C-alpha cells in the first residue's frame, strides 16, 4: 500500500497516533473516529490514511472501504436520519485539508447538519448540453 502523509496535517497525526482520538474503525486504508466538535451525538469522521487534500486527488484504492465504513457507523448510531458529507475546498466548507467524510446523526430538526439548499430552475437545453459535455469527458 502506498502511503502519503503530511507532517503538519492534523488528520495524518491522528492516523499515526501522534494526536489521540476516539477511534471507531481502522482498516488498511481508512481510519474512523468521533468528531471532537460534533454537530450531534455520534458525529464521526472517516479519513483515508493516504493524505490528499481533495477527493479527486485520492487514489481509487483508498476509497474502497470508506462507504462500507460509513454504513457500519450509521447502523451503529441507531438513528433513522443522518447525513454523509464530504467537502472539497474552502468555498465548499472544507476546514481540514485532508479528505474526510462526516457521518452525522440527525435526531431532530435542531441537532445535526443544518442545510440550506438554494435550488434553481434549470434550462433543459442547457442541461442537455452540459450532460453531453460531461459524458464525453467521462469516457
Amino acid at each position: 500500500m502506498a502511503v502519503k502523509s503530511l507532517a503538519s496535517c492534523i488528520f495524518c497525526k491522528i492516523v499515526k497516533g501522534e494526536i489521540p482520538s476516539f477511534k471507531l474503525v481502522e482498516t488498511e486504508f481508512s481510519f474512523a473516529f468521533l468528531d471532537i466538535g460534533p454537530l450531534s451525538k455520534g458525529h464521526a469522521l472517516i479519513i483515508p490514511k493516504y493524505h490528499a487534500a481533495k477527493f479527486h486527488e485520492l487514489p481509487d484504492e483508498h476509497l474502497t472501504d470508506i462507504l462500507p465504513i460509513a454504513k457500519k457507523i450509521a447502523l451503529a448510531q441507531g438513528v433513522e436520519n443522518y447525513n454523509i458529507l464530504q467537502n472539497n475546498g474552502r468555498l465548499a466548507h472544507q476546514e481540514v485539508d485532508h479528505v474526510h467524510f462526516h457521518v452525522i446523526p440527525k435526531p431532530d430538526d435542531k441537532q445535526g447538519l443544518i442545510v440550506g439548499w438554494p435550488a434553481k430552475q434549470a434550462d433543459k437545453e442547457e442541461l442537455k448540453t452540459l450532460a453531453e459535455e460531461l459524458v464525453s469527458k467521462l469516457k
Side-chain angles (χ1 to χ4, degrees), residues 97-110:
D97 291 329
H98 185 121
V99 173
H100 56 287
F101 291 75
H102 296 260
V103 182
I104 309 167
K106 185 70 174 160
D108 56 49
D109 61 356
K110 292 183 178 26

Side-chain angles (χ1 to χ4, degrees), residues 20-99:
S21 68
F22 296 98
K23 180 170 70 170
L24 300 174
V25 177
E26 183 173 9
T27 68
E28 178 183 2
F29 296 115
S30 301
F31 192 96
F33 55 99
L34 290 176
D35 194 314
I36 61 168
L39 297 180
S40 58
K41 183 179 178 181
H43 180 167
L45 296 171
I46 306 161
I47 60 174
K49 290 182 175 180
Y50 185 100
H51 179 84
K54 294 184 178 176
F55 183 79
H56 66 273
E57 299 168 348
L58 193 63
D60 288 349
E61 64 267 20
H62 295 275
L63 292 168
T64 57
D65 62 4
I66 289 175
L67 288 179
I69 291 170
K71 179 180 177 181
K72 288 177 184 177
I73 291 171
L75 288 168
Q77 290 167 337
V79 293
E80 183 179 340
N81 302 293
Y82 56 91
N83 295 93
I84 307 292
L85 177 68
Q86 200 280 316
N87 303 321
N88 295 278
R90 291 292 179 267
L91 286 177
H93 308 287
Q94 182 181 12
E95 295 295 322
V96 177
D97 291 329
H98 185 121
V99 173

